[in-house]
Amino acid sequence: MIIIGGSASEGLAKETANLGDFDLARREIKRFPDGECYVRLETPVKGKNVAIIQNAFPDNNIMELFLLQDAARRAGAAHITIVVPYLGYARQDKLFNEGEAISAVMLSNMLTLYADRLITMDIHENSTLDSVHVPAGNISAMPEIGRFMKQFRPGLVVSPDKGAMDLAKLVSGVLGCPWDYLEKTRIDGETVVVKPKSMDAADRTVVIVDDIIATGGTIIRATEHLKAQGASKVYAACTHGLFTSNALPRLRAALDGVFSTNTIPGDAARISAAQPIADVLEVL
Ligand code: R5P
């Protein structure tokens, strides 16, 4: 299989290619002076199975992903898998108010217009993939997060809301410690409220896990709750570290450590997401 790395996921694509029987394609990607994207595959892909690894975030990377698919198709690729480690727009996964678009479903359908398969990683809501017209599946970086967090010897894994409970279960399975969840209500993009709940956090090191950290509001509210209940240390780990609104320094001031995978490169991206991607591509 030939792996093509988009510019948003270049490092991850290289790492993935090194983990299995893959070739990493040479490609040219550049922007014209007006900002429009240009791509060209230099490695021949005729008759080959290819996997394009590229985040669908922010918007300009979505266009690049379309162009890479078109280039692969025109160059005669036999089968095109797109691996979208971070699927942007995934949090608008239903109609919250009349008149809205459902961006998660719209984008995942649009992305696969020229692809034969879609693979996402810790997508915000699994059912988003139900309406995709090609085979689509989601893989998780939570086992990698669990293995990384072992060094801190957590005694409790916490999901900051019901939506991340399955992620907390996966991490607690790797760590061999219990898990629990909080209930969160989102007031707006920057404000969340966590419902009071008694938890077995006293004198324990706790790790909060989530799919995404954006403004950090969710993690900070959950941390306040856990510290108020006597947690000795609180760490947070997520798959997709967006860290908007200067979130990382604020989180680091409030917690004992904050980590993400490298689906989105950055200062906190200490956990590699390459192995689960290599594992799934290996068996295609
Ligand atoms: C939403 O439910 C997600 O799973 C995350 O909890 C959310 O995106 C985190 O956002 P923020 O960091 O802005 O609170």
Side-chain angles (χ1 to χ4, degrees), residues 91 124 161 184 186 189 192 210-218:
R91 286 175 286 178
H124 182 63
D161 54 31
K184 164 184 104 180
R186 180 165 289 285
V192 296
D210 210 345
D211 56 339
I212 302 166
I213 299 177
T215 65
T218 300

Side-chain angles (χ1 to χ4, degrees), residues 214-259:
T215 65
T218 300
I219 297 294
I220 286 175
R221 291 292 89 76
T223 301
E224 288 166 354
H225 193 73
L226 290 161
K227 291 238 162 133
Q229 302 213 21
S232 52
K233 287 192 169 176
V234 179
Y235 294 89
C238 69
T239 306
H240 312 296
L242 297 178
F243 302 119
T244 59
S245 323
N246 205 30
L248 200 50
R250 285 187 292 108
L251 285 160
R252 284 180 168 157
L255 284 87
D256 295 279
V258 180
F259 308 102

